[in-house]
Each structure stands twice: as structure tokens, then as C-alpha cells.
Amino acid sequence: MTSGVYRWMLLVVCALALPSVAWADWGALNMPVGVTEISGKVYELHMRIFIWCCVIGAAVFAVMFYSMFKHRKSKGAVAADFHESTTVEVLWTIVPLVILIVMAIPAAKVLIEMEDFSDSEMSIKVTGYQWRWQYEYLDQDISFFSQLDSASNVARQANSTVDPASIEHYLKDVDNALVVPVGKKIRFLHTAADVIHSWWVPDLAVKKDSIPGFINENWALIEKPGVYRGKCAELCGRDHGFMPIVVKAVSQEDFDTWVGEQKMKTASADMDAIRQWSQAELMATGERVYAANCMSCHQKEGQGIPGMFPAIAGSDIVNGDMDMHVHTVLNGVPDSPMQGFGSSLSDVDLAAVITYQRSAFGNQAGDILQPSHMRSLRQGLRQSALAVPQNNLKGVN
Amino acid sequence: MANRHTVVAGKSLLLAVAMFGFGYLMVPIYDIICEVTGLNGKTGRVSIAEAQAEVATDRLVTVEFVASINQGGSWIFKPQVQEMQVKPGELNHAAYYAENLSNMPVVAQATPSVSPQAAAKYFNKTECFCFTRQAFEPKGSKEMPLTFIIDPDLPINVDRVTLSYTFFRSPDQS
Amino acid sequence: MSYSDKAHDHPGHDEHDDHHHGPAKGLMRWVKTTNHKDIGTLYLWFSLIMFFIGGGMALIIRAELGSPGLQFVDPMFFNAMTTMHAIVMIFGVVMPAFVGLANWMIPMMIGAPDMALPRLNNWSFWIMPFAFTIMLSTLFMDSGGPAGGWTLYPPLVLQMGDSFAFVIFAIHFMGISSVMGSINIVATIFNMRPPGMTMMKMPMFVWTWLITAYLLIATIPVFAGAVTMLLTDRYFGTSFFSAAGGGDPVMFQHIFWFFGHPEVYILILPAFGIVSSIIPTFARKPLFGYDSMVYATASIAFLSFIVWAHHMFTTGMPLAGELFFMFSTMMISVPTGVKVFNWVATMWRGSMTFETPMLFAVGFVIMFTIGGLSGLMLAITPADIQYHDTYFVVAHFHYVLVPGAIYSLMAATYYWIPKWTGNMYDEKLGKLHFWISTIFVNVLFFPMHFVGLAGMPRRIPDYNNIFADWNFIATIGAFGFGFSQLLFVYIIIKCVKGGKEATTEVWEGARGLEWTVPSPAPYHTFEVAPEINSTTVTR
Ligand code: HEM
Ligand SMILES: [Cu+2]
Ligand SMILES: [Cu+2]
């Protein structure tokens, strides 16, 4: 090919490359510096090795391109006949080795810092489930599940009519964020209840595998209040891409307030769960819960979307045995978009929405489920989102 | 010619078979490495006599207890105390509580794990409910004791040790 | 003059009955053949077909990732695609293609009449289509194809339905095929060299294959052991990898990567050999530092056994382990660097022309180096904690595997196809194939570095909008690259059918025994051992 053709090719490459550079969101190009001392150091290491790689690459390619340009037959170059030179060989073994040692020392230092768990001030146990996270504040007696927020959950369904771009933190938001104080060395203990997951928050430079039966550990000391988002990083099955992590770092006072609120919530949920509710009350609450959690798939009038999401109106399950209905709502339906709500809704919400479904949309079951009964039904289930139903629900599968 | 081929092929095949064996040999090797280095947080086991031979120190270490349930278990499983301060070299007692919430008898196996891993090999137990399977009546519950001792050689920068148990339904149950 | 001409002058001193006849006619020729050239051809066609099957899967993956939201496939099927894509490309494309080249070229390069164990050779090939039929058929079973990633980590992989057993079965057969193929190659190289063909006179391709064959013989059985343990864990109540029974899922990862890291070098060492043959030819200058190339290859092979845990930095390892594997992994880039420097030095002050094989070889050196440098970044443990399981890793291994291993295969095809067919391929089209492939392959894989660093995990079917632009570009690149490979097939078929007649030497600067036999290479070559003395150019 003539050199004219080459020049055209080059132009095409540039023409292709330019708009891509112009469209791209420049924020999405590099590793974040993050908000901990360690994440800053990791970023520095990353940039340092990156620059070294660029320098080495540039040097090698410069020699290569010079040679390809100058030493071509068409330019009349005659092949020299040199080969084998011990000096050169030794040189290009030693020089990279030295560069590597220069690189390895700071890397080792950061690694040693990362592995220093002493003087931690609080512990949070993180358990990976297919496909959500459970957070337990070991010294606070607070425990909750955290899973994909409902807006993303609607938009991520196949054939969803919601545009993912319209959701601000698509697949990066959760229902219950992990709230932590800034300025405290927090130890995270990682384990999993089913398969291996990996808890990764780039801004904190923490990533650790959660392994069923084992406990793993890492830590972070967040310096700046803010919301930091992460993802499950180890393939964990169908919804691996849909179990985000949100860490909300707040000041110590805000954290204390939050802890207070959590405890109040548990206490008032306890109070609510044990009192007797009227059907009207349950129906009112149930309607609200339905709108927030069920409507996106099962639709406003409970009619569902044929072929995709079954109708609630006239449903055999909803009009049939209460146990089956409860089981479905608590545990979901395997291999379907119907997730289990057993771990994400309270006793009251669950009892209310089940009661609601059994009487709304022309459904005839009409019976009511008291929150207190709900509570006794799922005692123990709270321990594990994927727990098998208790005996009175057996055989439903 | 054919003979020489058989020799080379035979030797290579031998290597292949040996490497298949080596794959399996990696299982015990891995266990030994885990025991020596504390990799994967497996705890050690010592006899009472060995434990009593240790000399107590003045240093205080926090031991934190954690409980997890693997999928498919209707359990309550929790430590009786959240954490305790212990002296390395001293024998300590702790307990977990477990309750079978189902109406069926269940056998469970608890698996221990210690974090940080660097501490695992210094965490020794003389008695533990994880040494054997635990059988539960329907709705049955029990308190399950454990006795442990922390080796005084525990690295000085470890001030907090987490002992975690995961409750699995025993695998050989039909 | 050519050695094989000489051979034809003196027929009648061989034991095999099919010698001195041409190939048998019809389909049975291919089923029953024990001829190294036929078997090489079978391997090469097989891997070309698999390349399009694996490529089709890649396009399904990239189509789904073209924009945020789920458009085409269910996440479960998506996972099956990523898993199968990797298994097909590694075990069905790159490995068999290298074996095919070994079959064709090693006997001709060392001056041997055939492979040492021709019947074994026939079996090792015919196992492959059988194994892959089983593997691919799992996609049509109720429980679907394997969806736990090509790394097959338990406990996830154990959640798979009963098609799991078929997957394991297929993997065993692929493994048996590779080990048999390797044994044959080792026996050929050790026993079939004519007098005078010393080890240090062998072409680099033969050397790299010898070392690769040993890597295969040593690691494939370990992998076979690991998957057998998975099988017994699943069906026979063992608990190698289940904590409940005293096992450990992380142990699987150790065993897997003890195989897996040498495996990635299995995928690249023969490529090193190919490039080390092509660059001297087109630079018209012998390979700079042959000896050090041999030593570098050997030390890469050795080091590849002690770096495996760099794939596992986030599983929780003792500090000492992390440091050891960081240092050893960094070390491996030294001999890798030596290779690159040697290629550049071979080009230096040569008299270069850039026919298609050379273009692909140069493309290989540049883009493999990019992949090697990102490998060096991944070796830095604290940084790897951020990189691990992101698209940055995906970018790394695709740079070393696509414009790396796959480019070497294309270079090899263009380089040797005149010898195989007796016809020159269409040079214009070859160059066009190189340029569009190279543009698209970078459009495809370069942006993956960015999204990976910015936080996009690998093996996900859907993502946030901030990753949308680069993913869209990558998808364009994927379709561009995928479709430009149709041109490759067209060029090959055109060349098989006809074209300018190739000379014996084919390339002006060609060195080595394979260029002393006529083009196309006769069905039997070197039935009389060539004379090799200190002045014979064999590499
Ligand atoms: C300079 C040499 C190289 C170094 C230092 C290097 C380093 C690494 C490291 C540290 C990882 C793990 C990244 C992670 O998962 O966090 C990795 C992954 C990988 N490398 Fe390399 N690498 C090198 C060359 C190669 C070559 C030559 C190949 C193959 C031809 C290769 C193929 C792969 C593959 C396939 C993976 C990903 C495996 C997976 O997780 O699925 N690498 N490399
Ligand atoms: Cu996960
Ligand atoms: Cu590796």
C-alpha cells in the first residue's frame, strides 16, 4: 500500500477517536482518589505505576517506530547482521528489575498499612446474600438488609418502559444505606450466606470477598462526609449486577441521631407489631405499601402484564390458602422478578399488604392477617433472607 | 524409534498422572498451610494440659463473637456475650445459644473462623461445640459452650480478635 | 533444491502403508488420517469455526452491554454467555489452533517426516468436536449452560442444574485431548530430530511449544482434579469446597489458579514463538538473542507456577502471602520484557518490509506490550484491590489474548498459508484485514480500561449511565471487529482455491527448513532426514 493510503488510515483513526473523547464523561475515566488516607495512597500507587508503564511503553514504541520508519527495505535499508549481545541483554534485564524494586517498596508499605487492623473503633458485619447485603452493627445491636432501590429495580426489568437514564443513581442506589460516622476506624467483617460475594466501595479502596463459612476483614477510616457507592464485585449468580452498596458517611452527631432513630424504629415497630389492627387500618397501610413495592409489576388495578407479571386480581394464590400467599410474598418466586420481601418489609407492612391484596381488586379471600401473627410466622426467618419457610408453610414449593 | 516414543510418552503420561495426584495432594497441603499460617482463619485445637501450661500475661485483648447462619436454616443463633476482654495465656469460657425454630429435628454443624487471619493460629480451643455436630429437637434450643485460650505470642499489633461461627445444616441430612 | 524432493527420489524404505500415496479420497480421509498435515488442517478449521461461535457469544454480550437497561437477554443467559465465550475461546480456539500449527509446522521445522505418534494424534483431534458438542449442547438443556464464570468458583457453580455434569465431562475430554496432543509434541521434538538438529538449532516456535507442552502436561491434570472434586462435591457428598463439611471454597481458587496462571502462558508462549519466526523473516535479520529468548521462555514458564494467587488478592490472604505473590508477579514481567526488547532489537537496523504477517506480528508486539504493562499494574497488590474483578482486568486479558494470541494466529496463517496451499493470499485484502481489525480491536478494548477504573465490575449485564458512552463505543468496536473477521475467512478460502503461485521460499528473508520444501508442501516431507550441519540455517 502506498504511504498515501496509510495517511488516510491515520486520519480515519483520529476521526473515530475524536468524537469518542468528546462525548465521554471524563469523570468516568480514572480510579477515584477516594476519601480515606489509604484510598489516596492507592490512587497514588496506581498513578505512579501507570506513569512508569507509559514511560516504558513510550520508550519501547519510540525505538520500534523509529526503526520501522528508518530501517525499511523501501528506504534502501540493508540488514545489519548483528545479534546476541550479552551487555545489552544484561542491561535490559537489570533496568526493569530496578524499576520494579522502586515500585515494589511503596506498594509493600501501603499493603502493610492496609493490613493493620489495630485500634479500630467500631465493627460492622457485612453478609452477602443472593442478592442483597445485610449490615449488623456489632456494638449497636442494629441490623438491617440493604438492596437495590425500587426505582432502579423497576427500570432494570426486561422490557421496562422506564428509561435507566432517567434514574439518577441507576443500579447504584439502595433502600437502606449503610450509615457510618466519619473519622472513626471502622472494621468490616465479611461473610456470606450462600455463594461468594465481594464488597467493594471504590472511594474507600476496600474490596473483600465474602465467603460462606469464613470471616474476612478490612477497614476504612472515612475522612469526608458524603455518599459513597459501590458494587458486588464477585460473580454471584443471576442478579450479581444488581446488588449495589451505598455508604453514607456522616458526622458523629448525625450518626448518633441516626442510631437513636434506628432504635426508636425497632421499638415502635415492636409496639405496632404486637397490637391488634382493624381491617380498615390494614387496608389503608396495605394500599400504600402496594403502591411502593408491588405496583410497578403487578400494576395499579392488580391486573399485571400478561405473559410477564401475573395479575393479583383473581389470582389463585391470593384468593387461596393464606400460607401460600405469605410464603410467596416473603420468599418470592425463584427464577422470576418476584423477589421475596421477607427481609425488606416490616411485620406491619407485610401483614397489611397481604391483607390488602386479599380484599382489593375484587379479590374474595377477605381474611385479615394480623401483624402479630406475621411476626410469629417469620420469626427466625429474620435471621436469613433465604430461609426455608417454617413447617406450616412446608410443601408449598 | 517406536520404543523411544513409548519411553517419552510413558514418562510424560506419568507426569500427567502424578500431577493429577498432586491436584488432590493440594488438599492436605492446603490444610497444613492453613494451620501453619492461619490462612482462612481456621482455629487450632489444644488439650487442657497444653493450655494450662501457658503462662498468663497482663496484656488485654478484646475477643468479639459473631454468629452467621447459612442459607436454609430456621434458626436463632447468637453469642451469649457480644465481646469479652481476655488475657493471652488464660483459659476462657464463652457460649453461644441456638434454637431450632422449625418443627423438625435438625442436625447442624458450626464452622469457626477467626479474623484477623494473623491471629488464627494463636487462637486455640480446648472445647468447642464445633468439634461435633449438634442435634436439635423440633423447637429445641441449647446453650453451647466453648473454652479457648489465646497464645501469648499473639502479635502485638492485634488488639481485637473476632471469632465467628456459621451454622450450616449438616450436609449429610436427607 | 529441497530436501523432500530428495526424499521422493528414493522411495521404498518405510513401514507405513499410506506413505507415498497421496491422501485418501473422500470424507474418510479426514476421519482416519494420521498425517500431521491433515490433522493440522483439521485443528485449524475446527478452531476457525469455534472462533465464530465464541465470537457470536461475544457479540450477544456486547449487544446487551451496548446501552444501560436490559434489552436482549436474561441476566442468567448473559452469565452463560460470558462463561461459554471464555471456555470456547480458550479451549476451543486458541489452544487447538496452536496445536494445529504445531502439527503442521513442527515436523517440517525440525525435518521430521511426521509426528511421533500419528494414531494418538488422530484421537486427540477427534475428541475435540465431541467434547465441544457436549459443552455447547448444555445451552439447550433445561438447566442452561454453565453460568458461574469460566473460573467455575464454588459454591456458585454448584448451584447449576444437572447440565453441570455434562460441562465437567466435556472439560475432562478437552483436557485429555490437550494432554495427548502435548505428549505427542514432546515425543516428536525429542525423538524425531534428524542428526545435527540440536536443541539450540530449533526454531523458537518449536522451543516455545516444547515448553508449552510441559506446562500443559503439568497443569491440565491439576485442573482435571479440581473439576473432579467439584463433581464429587456436587453428586457424591464429598466436601472439598464446602465449609459445612470442613472444606474451603477458597481452596478451589488456589487449585484452579495453580492451573489457571500457567494456562494463560499456554495461550501466549506459542504466540511468542510465531512472532519470533516472523519478525526475523521480514526484518531480513536473524533473531536478536536467540539464547536469551529460550531462557526467557523457560523462566516465564517456571515463574508462572509461583504467581497464581495474584488472581486472589481479595480473598483474604496473610500479608506475607500477598507480598510474595506481588513480588513474584512483578518478576514475571522481566522475562516478558526481555522478549519484547529482543523483538525490537531484531527489527533494529533490519531491512523491513510489511507484508500482512509482519503487520500482524508488529501489531502483536505493540498491543501485547500494552496488555503486559496493564498486567504489571495489576501486580501491584494495593492497586489490584481496586482493579480486581473490574473491566480493567477484562481490558488487560483481552489485550494479551486478542491482539496478542489471536493476532499471532492470524500472522501465522498469513505467514504459512502459501506453504500450505501453494498459493499466495491476496495481499491487498490481507492488509485491509489487518487495518480494520486493528482499528476496531482498539475501539473495542481500550475503553474497557476507563470503565474499569471508573468502577464498572466485570460479568454484569447492566450498568449505570456514567459507563454508557464507553460501553457503546466498545460495542461498536466489537461488531466492527467481529464482522471484519468474515474478511479473514474470505481471504483464506480465496487462497485455498487459487491465487498467485507461491515459490518454495515464499518470503525473501525466510529462514528454516519449512521453506526448503516445495509449496504446497507435499503430503509427505522429510522422509529422508535432511542433512544438517553447522552452516544450515534452521531458525
Ligand atoms: C507481564 C505479564 C503479566 C502480568 C504481570 C499479569 C498479571 C495479571 C494479574 C495480576 C491478573 C489478575 C487481575 C485480577 O483479577 O485482579 C491477571 C489476570 C489475567 N491475565 Fe495477566 N498478566 C500478565 C500477562 C498475561 C498474559 C500473557 C496473559 C495471556 C495470554 C494473561 C491473561 C490473563 C487473564 C486471562 C486474566 C484474567 C483471568 C480471569 O480472572 O478470568 N496475562 N494478569
Ligand atoms: Cu454478590
Ligand atoms: Cu495470572
Side-chain angles (χ1 to χ4, degrees), chain A residues 127-140:
Chain A
T127 310
Y129 287 82
Q130 284 173 316
W131 295 274
R132 61 189 99 194
W133 299 98
Q134 183 187 21
Y135 298 115
E136 291 164 75
Y137 294 66
L138 291 184
D139 14 46
Q140 301 287 358

Side-chain angles (χ1 to χ4, degrees), chain A residues 5 32 37 60 70 88 126 148 172 180 188 220 231 255 289 294 330 382:
Chain A
V5 177
E37 195 189 333
V60 173
K70 281 277 185 218
V88 176
V126 181
L148 188 64
K172 289 192 144 199
V180 294
F188 297 102
K231 285 273 195 171
F255 180 72
V289 178
C294 323
L330 286 184
R382 194 171 307 139

Side-chain angles (χ1 to χ4, degrees), chain A residues 60 89 92-93, chain C residues 204-205 207-208 211 265 268-276 279 287-301 332-346 364-365 368-369:
Chain A
V60 173
E89 299 281 1
W92 66 37
T93 308
Chain C
M204 269 319 285
F205 181 68
W207 256 114
T208 52
I211 291 168
Y265 281 94
I268 206 70
L269 292 185
F272 288 172
I274 291 165
V275 170
S276 304
I279 290 181
L287 189 64
F288 187 88
Y290 172 89
D291 293 20
S292 69
M293 285 295 237
V294 172
Y295 301 139
T297 311
S299 36
I300 288 175
I332 212 168
S333 47
V334 173
T336 312
V338 167
K339 295 236 139 201
V340 173
F341 300 144
N342 267 295
W343 291 321
V344 175
T346 306
F364 171 95
V365 175
F368 173 79
T369 303

Side-chain angles (χ1 to χ4, degrees), chain A residues 46 71 73 170 207 238, chain C residues 74 349 352 387-388 462:
Chain A
H46 155 69
H71 307 148
K73 200 183 170 201
Y170 181 57
K207 184 187 284 151
R238 184 179 184 275
Chain C
D74 184 81
R349 291 188 48 214
M352 273 181 276
Y387 307 139
H388 177 66
D462 193 5

Side-chain angles (χ1 to χ4, degrees), chain A residues 182-197:
Chain A
V182 292
K184 271 201 163 168
K185 184 165 179 176
I186 306 162
R187 223 162 49 103
F188 297 102
L189 297 166
H190 302 275
T191 188
D194 35 51
V195 300
I196 301 177
H197 301 264

Side-chain angles (χ1 to χ4, degrees), chain A residues 115-123 125 127 129-130 136 138-139 141 187 189 191-195 212-217 379-381 383-384 386-392 394, chain B residues 40-42 64-77 82-83 99 101-104 111-117 139 157-164 166 168-169:
Chain A
E115 294 291 321
D116 179 2
F117 299 104
S118 56
D119 302 323
S120 69
E121 292 158 284
M122 66 186 278
S123 304
K125 181 177 163 224
T127 310
Y129 287 82
Q130 284 173 316
E136 291 164 75
L138 291 184
D139 14 46
D141 204 20
R187 223 162 49 103
L189 297 166
T191 188
D194 35 51
V195 300
F214 296 91
I215 196 121
N216 248 332
E217 164 170 64
Q379 242 196 8
L381 294 187
Q383 300 280 336
S384 157
L386 288 172
V388 288
Q390 281 176 62
N391 213 36
N392 54 352
K394 270 269 162 63
Chain B
N40 94 357
K42 278 186 186 153
E64 189 175 47
F65 299 97
V66 170
S68 309
I69 296 167
N70 200 253
Q71 63 178 308
S74 299
W75 300 99
I76 291 173
F77 178 51
Q82 203 51 255
E83 59 178 53
E99 184 178 334
L101 293 166
S102 77
N103 293 332
M104 311 264 278
T111 61
S113 180
V114 165
S115 189
Q117 289 188 344
K139 302 278 180 200
N157 67 343
V158 176
D159 54 11
R160 180 176 276 269
V161 178
T162 304
L163 176 62
S164 158
T166 306
F168 286 82
R169 267 175 79 96

Side-chain angles (χ1 to χ4, degrees), chain B residues 32-56:
Chain B
I32 293 168
I33 290 177
C34 288
E35 211 166 285
V36 175
T37 64
L39 176 70
N40 94 357
K42 278 186 186 153
T43 51
R45 184 178 179 172
V46 294
S47 69
I48 294 271
E50 282 173 284
Q52 279 161 350
E54 298 282 6
V55 186

Side-chain angles (χ1 to χ4, degrees), chain C residues 257 260-262 264-265 307-308 310-311:
Chain C
W257 288 114
H261 188 84
V264 307
Y265 281 94
V307 298
W308 76 89
H310 65 213
H311 297 273

